[in-house]
Amino acid sequence: MTITETLLDPYDYDFHEDPYQYYQRLRDEAPLYRNEELGFWALSRHRDVLAGFRNSTTLSNKFGVSLDPASRGPHASKTMSFLAMDDPDHLRLRTLVSKGFTPRRIRELEPRVTEIATRHLDAMLEKARSSQTVDYVDEFAGKLPMDVISELMGVPEADRAQVRAWADAVMHREDGVTDVPASAVEASLNLIVYYQDMVAARRKKLSDDLTSALLEAEIGGDRLTDDEIIGFMFLMVIAGNETTTKLLANAAFWGHRNPDQLTPVYDDLERVPLWVEETLRFDTSSQILARTVSGELTLYDTVIPDGDVLLLLPGSAHRDERVFDNPDDYVIGREIGSKLMSFGSGAHFCLGAHLARMEARVALAELFKRIRGYEVDEANAVRVHSSNVRGFAHLPIHVQIR
């Protein structure tokens, strides 16, 4: 189906404010959509997005998963690790990394995540006592995920604020900038040099952290190179840091918008994971992922040529009324299960899904232990302008402390 008007421009600020009205039209009018100007195709229905994620042969990751020109190309794996690879390279690297990045390691990290969350919450609520509003992203949601990654990797506490500042600079885009600015390139180089030094130090003396575990990971004599370890560490910064920050803020925003859904959570913190899951469905951080057609693909009686870019839209798939009842309602506790694609599906399913869920559960439960309620200052909330993630750069809130 060919539609000449622009239904999807991932760089459009109006789209960033509310993509869901656009997604509805895509699903109804152009389930296979073509944007000639930006040179991509897009799939928006749940069934098609799921099939796209699971088709890792015809839909290749080797040029990266972003539409942004600077992030696309054969160099993508340098910063996106195995996320920007196809098998067998992808499977080899993922399997080796998995030996260090285990569910057990994540479970054992939980007490430290709780301590880090508590420290940032105490500081935020101290600020809230003396001022009317605090920025939930600046003071909490934007700090916790990167500090958790640093804890996991073994970055000394004294260096964490600097590492977090570099990570923020890697992701930051000024208004109107769609490609990677010089400041982000510089921050990326600083991070890479820092991680190189860290890996070199662990080669001399191992410790009990993920960096050391990656150095020790071995299958039949095959080990990770320093560059492969650094590439994975960088992937954690890009994929694990920003998306979790957005998840925490999106949960706070939609909880505020739906107080009837949130009230039971205050009384029963066992409901926090359900709050996290519905946020992942209703307004997922990771909205758009790119693939490159390898060979020939026919969808909706249309041949998509080899080498073309195809966008998968999990943000749209989660609002597909063909799969979810009343998908535009925010319902904590609804049945979601395997229909969720916030972490992808198939061969490239996110290795950090269990870490992100644990962080969000701990962070939101600790917050609710300390407050009786909160209000978002919507007039001063600022959305991030990104072609692939959705969330807030700033989310001012007024809290009622217990």
Side-chain angles (χ1 to χ4, degrees), residues 197-231:
D197 291 345
M198 211 164 113
V199 169
R202 295 299 186 282
R203 281 228 181 265
K204 289 177 188 155
K205 188 174 188 296
L206 293 169
S207 63
D208 183 28
D209 56 32
L210 177 61
T211 308
S212 300
L214 294 173
L215 281 166
E216 290 185 291
E218 181 258 336
I219 299 172
D222 186 17
R223 289 178 178 268
L224 294 162
T225 66
D226 285 11
D227 283 350
E228 287 169 342
I229 293 170
I230 291 158

Side-chain angles (χ1 to χ4, degrees), residues 61-64 69-79 81 84-85 292:
N61 281 46
K62 69 182 174 190
F63 296 107
S71 303
R72 288 197 63 70
H75 61 281
S77 63
K78 283 189 169 54
T79 52
S81 187
M85 291 178 186
T292 305

